Amino acid sequence: MLISTTPNVEGRRIVKYFGIVSGEAILGANLFKDLFAGIRDIVGGRSGAYEKELRRAKEIALQDMEEEAKRLGANAVLSVDLDYETLGQNGGMLMVSASGTAVLME
């Protein structure tokens, strides 16, 4: 499955549009990750735990979007957009959503 942020692919022709497909992932933050991230905020550096969770949420959202496109008969998803939001009291949850246009390409 081809997944691209571009609306077309050079040398390939779209033969059918299936419409918008999407995938979402919502992950909760762990208390210990929050504690260590707070310490890093004070002393500087990157929060590896948060970066790992962010990548995991992105992968889940993209995989869900891809599975929806496959069910429709698409072989590509174009114009993909990723959105990141924090949810819950004190931003304790992370939501990643992926959406794009499912197409059949030659």
Side-chain angles (χ1 to χ4, degrees):
M1 171 81 53
L2 174 68
I3 297 176
S4 177
T5 58
T6 62
N8 52 46
V9 176
E10 189 174 338
R12 305 275 308 265
R13 186 172 72 91
I14 297 170
V15 294
K16 186 173 183 179
Y17 288 87
F18 294 98
I20 297 172
V21 290
S22 63
E24 296 80 24
I26 300 175
L27 301 176
N30 180 302
L31 176 62
F32 295 110
K33 291 177 187 174
D34 286 345
L35 174 64
F36 291 120
I39 291 170
R40 282 194 180 91
D41 285 344
I42 294 169
V43 297
R46 295 170 59 171
S47 175
Y50 271 124
E51 289 174 358
K52 183 178 177 182
E53 287 299 297
L54 185 61
R55 277 192 297 276
R56 185 170 145 235
K58 180 181 78 171
E59 289 168 5
I60 291 168
L62 287 170
Q63 182 178 1
D64 285 353
M65 181 189 69
E66 181 178 339
E67 288 172 5
E68 184 180 349
K70 284 180 182 176
R71 280 193 299 276
L72 294 172
N75 63 2
V77 181
L78 303 180
S79 300
V80 172
D81 179 49
L82 291 167
D83 291 312
Y84 301 86
E85 300 288 335
T86 54
L87 304 171
Q89 195 171 34
N90 300 323
M93 300 182 85
L94 170 68
M95 180 180 79
V96 177
S97 62
S99 61
T101 303
V103 299
L104 183 61
M105 300 185 86
E106 301 186 313

